Amino acid sequence: MLAAKSAPTVLHTKAPAGALLRLPCRGVSMNLPRSSAGRRSLATRVVAEPSTAVVDTPPKTSVPSGGDPWEDEKWTKYKWTVYRGVAYDLTPYLDRHPGGRWLLNLAVGRDATALFESYHLRPEVAVGMLKRLPVLEGFPVDAVPQSPRPNDSELYNAIRERVRKEVFKGTEIKGAHRSGSESAVLAVLGYAVAAYALYTYDANPLTGALLGLGGAWIGLTIQHCGNHGAMSTNPVVNNLLGLTNDLAGGSSLMWRYHHQVSHHIHCNDDALDEDVFSAFPLLRFDDRLPRHWYHQFQHIYMWVLFPFLQLVFQVGDWKALFDNRTVGASLYGASQFERQTVVAGKLAHYGLLYGLPALLHGPSAMLGGAIGYLFTQSIVLATTFAVSHNVPETKPLDPGPTRDNLHQPAVERDWGVQQVLTSANWGGVVGNFFTGGLNLQIEHHLFPAICFLHYPAISVIVEDECRKRGIKYAHYGTLPEILGRFLRYMSEVGAAPQKPVQRDGEMVMLAKF
């Protein structure tokens, strides 16, 4: 699960001396020299505006004598990854990985410790296989940003052990944790097909809105779970379900990198979680981001922005394809075929949403229907996604355990505690079915590779273990209730002054993710 630029496994393509590398930083592009010295200089924060009060310390190490692992030909010929300080060549295992090549590609070109450990209920099995792979002797491990280590979390280990014993009772070894979603898949796809048939029969804003609900349901459930490798023990089935994201208007490839490499591993980290800063400067989700005068009104005007989320996806997906990185993660391991799915998926989506209805009913009818689709899908996705990590309990705006956790350097945090503190739940079994488990966000972040239908049972264990340790477990009764807290938070964070933070060299990490 991690990745380099467009050559075999190269992170950065070669550039002439003095060329500039543009890196996203809290919504601001930074122009930095591309030389080795320039990369080391990333440790000093480039301040985009006078109000930015951020203190950085130099990274603990620079590129060692072993060479730059993303550019040195000695290493670019390998599909390398790092696990707990050891570099391995994944090449012999790419086509034999039980979860499929697309998931393993996420590990290429980065420290994949958190991905390996959070994606396997039996991590000792995955680690055993990993340790049979070729070790790259002399590899400059210190040049690769270190990943969090979920297995070092006492909370996470206790929860995982109970889930194995009490929920699956040993059946996870046969893939029970990735099974049981067949009825959900049929329900979602059945509704989407019926809605599309109605849309092509009579394209108008109402049928477009009904289809938009189908597109949102796909995005929340089967594509989300499929791209996590959690809908089936068969990777082909997971990939096909994941590609429904492309038909609905997104990109499964870009989603896998931004969502799994950036967001899931570093939830609510203002430098490393793309979801925190990708909407900036229009929306300010965190008081560690610079504040503009208009942010005090964001809780009002954000409802005007939400309907255009799907169009933002279109621009972002195409840009990421050409840049070879999403805002928060480089596509180091993405294959040529994966890149081709982006183009094919976009063409299929445009043809289904715009082309065929225009041929059948004319441009005016198509436009009304397409607007209904885009606005409905965007509003449902925006409101459902945003509430999960943007309420007071999940952010460092106020003093408390979440602030204490997030103010530590990324690699020193308790990963399991971070996932609990930075996520919030709402509703129960009904919400779980209609959101693909995203209403039980805490459980999803702890176990992204488990089918969402198991989350209600797992939530009982997670809440119990958190209660024993005095760890805040945020749960709201209904979606309207958590939406109210989200609205209040957006008002408060929009008016809050920018908070100084200690980055401890994490902008260097961002450059390499």
Side-chain angles (χ1 to χ4, degrees):
M1 311 172 223
L2 298 103
K5 279 246 177 211
S6 36
T9 47
V10 185
L11 162 57
H12 303 302
T13 54
K14 296 289 184 179
L20 294 177
L21 172 64
R22 292 184 65 81
L23 297 174
C25 168
R26 303 187 173 193
V28 180
S29 291
M30 300 189 300
N31 292 329
L32 298 168
R34 201 160 193 161
S35 64
S36 296
R39 286 191 298 272
R40 288 194 293 272
S41 71
L42 285 171
T44 303
R45 180 61 165 247
V46 175
V47 179
E49 50 188 281
S51 63
T52 305
V54 180
V55 180
D56 276 323
T57 59
K60 295 179 175 62
T61 58
S62 59
V63 175
S65 58
D68 186 318
W70 298 277
E71 293 190 355
D72 194 320
E73 294 179 0
K74 179 166 46 179
W75 306 117
T76 58
K77 61 185 177 182
Y78 298 107
K79 298 287 186 180
W80 62 264
T81 193
V82 173
Y83 176 77
R84 288 190 172 256
V86 179
Y88 298 92
D89 179 16
L90 291 173
T91 305
Y93 196 47
L94 285 172
D95 293 322
R96 296 188 291 119
H97 181 229
R101 182 167 185 155
W102 285 5
L103 281 180
L104 195 58
N105 281 347
L106 298 174
V108 175
R110 45 175 56 91
D111 185 332
T113 302
L115 284 162
F116 283 128
E117 294 182 354
S118 65
Y119 267 70
H120 298 90
L121 262 183
R122 293 179 175 267
E124 65 277 7
V125 176
V127 172
M129 184 63 240
L130 188 68
K131 291 190 174 180
R132 290 196 289 271
L133 296 177
V135 174
L136 300 178
E137 298 292 345
F139 186 90
V141 172
D142 288 344
V144 181
Q146 183 177 319
S147 165
R149 299 183 174 187
N151 284 358
D152 291 349
S153 170
E154 187 273 335
L155 171 68
Y156 187 54
N157 287 330
I159 293 172
R160 183 168 54 191
E161 186 65 20
R162 285 188 61 184
V163 167
R164 286 165 58 173
K165 290 181 178 179
E166 299 174 27
V167 177
F168 297 109
K169 300 178 175 61
T171 59
E172 77 281 353
I173 199 166
K174 297 181 180 179
H177 58 306
R178 291 186 169 96
S179 304
S181 61
E182 294 81 5
S183 59
V185 171
L186 290 175
V188 176
L189 291 182
Y191 174 84
V193 170
Y196 187 71
L198 189 61
Y199 178 67
T200 53
Y201 175 75
D202 183 12
N204 60 61
L206 176 59
T207 59
L210 293 174
L211 181 60
L213 289 175
W217 203 7
I218 286 173
L220 293 170
T221 54
I222 60 175
Q223 80 81 18
H224 187 256
C225 219
N227 277 312
H228 273 297
M231 290 295 270
S232 171
T233 56
N234 187 328
V236 175
V237 173
N238 284 321
N239 291 347
L240 289 174
L241 292 175
L243 286 170
T244 60
N245 186 22
D246 299 70
L247 293 179
S251 165
S252 57
L253 171 62
M254 302 313 167
W255 186 94
R256 285 193 295 277
Y257 279 89
H258 126 248
H259 188 74
Q260 298 181 72
V261 173
S262 174
H263 170 64
H264 258 267
I265 301 305
H266 304 284
C267 189
N268 273 354
D269 185 295
D270 66 313
L272 304 175
D273 178 0
E274 179 175 331
D275 282 1
V276 173
F277 55 81
S278 59
F280 186 84
L282 292 178
L283 293 176
R284 184 186 190 226
F285 286 117
D286 199 292
D287 68 335
R288 294 166 293 180
L289 299 174
R291 178 182 176 273
H292 298 300
W293 65 269
Y294 50 83
H295 288 142
Q296 62 187 308
F297 306 112
Q298 66 177 8
H299 60 293
I300 300 172
Y301 70 72
M302 66 182 181
W303 303 104
V304 179
L305 300 179
F306 283 170
F308 298 95
L309 178 66
Q310 219 261 26
L311 296 178
V312 174
F313 286 163
Q314 300 303 314
V315 176
D317 291 342
W318 283 113
K319 185 176 186 302
L321 180 64
F322 290 109
D323 290 349
N324 203 50
R325 79 172 273 127
T326 69
V327 177
S330 294
L331 313 180
Y332 298 151
S335 66
Q336 188 60 32
F337 179 71
E338 286 179 277
R339 292 184 173 89
Q340 291 169 351
T341 66
V342 180
V343 178
K346 293 299 181 192
L347 294 178
H349 171 70
Y350 299 151
L352 291 170
L353 184 63
Y354 304 111
L356 184 58
L359 287 174
L360 294 174
H361 305 291
S364 297
M366 175 275 293
L367 185 60
I371 290 174
Y373 176 88
L374 295 172
F375 282 15
T376 302
Q377 184 195 43
S378 297
I379 292 170
V380 172
L381 291 178
T383 52
T384 310
F385 285 151
V387 299
S388 299
H389 304 288
N390 295 288
V391 291
E393 298 92 327
T394 65
K395 288 288 190 174
L397 180 63
D398 299 320
T402 305
R403 176 188 288 186
D404 295 340
N405 182 279
L406 290 175
H407 279 194
Q408 299 176 68
V411 297
E412 295 179 13
R413 298 174 196 144
D414 184 305
W415 184 86
V417 172
Q418 179 181 350
Q419 302 311 307
V420 172
L421 292 177
T422 57
S423 304
N425 290 357
W426 59 269
V429 176
V430 175
N432 183 69
F433 180 77
F434 284 104
T435 66
L438 296 188
N439 68 314
L440 301 180
Q441 192 72 200
I442 295 172
E443 287 66 35
H444 174 61
H445 264 253
L446 291 172
F447 300 104
I450 291 181
C451 177
F452 68 89
L453 294 177
H454 300 294
Y455 288 164
I458 293 173
S459 67
V460 176
I461 295 172
V462 177
E463 185 172 14
D464 182 53
E465 291 297 323
C466 289
R467 179 185 53 78
K468 290 177 182 177
R469 293 163 177 80
I471 297 171
K472 177 67 176 179
Y473 181 90
H475 187 102
Y476 293 83
T478 63
L479 178 58
E481 185 180 350
I482 196 173
L483 269 173
R485 290 289 282 172
F486 165 65
L487 184 64
R488 174 183 167 187
Y489 171 76
M490 290 300 286
S491 174
E492 291 175 349
V493 76
Q498 187 184 0
K499 182 185 301 173
V501 291
Q502 179 80 23
R503 289 312 326 158
D504 194 27
E506 285 170 8
M507 293 317 298
V508 177
M509 298 171 67
L510 179 60
K512 297 295 190 182
F513 275 173

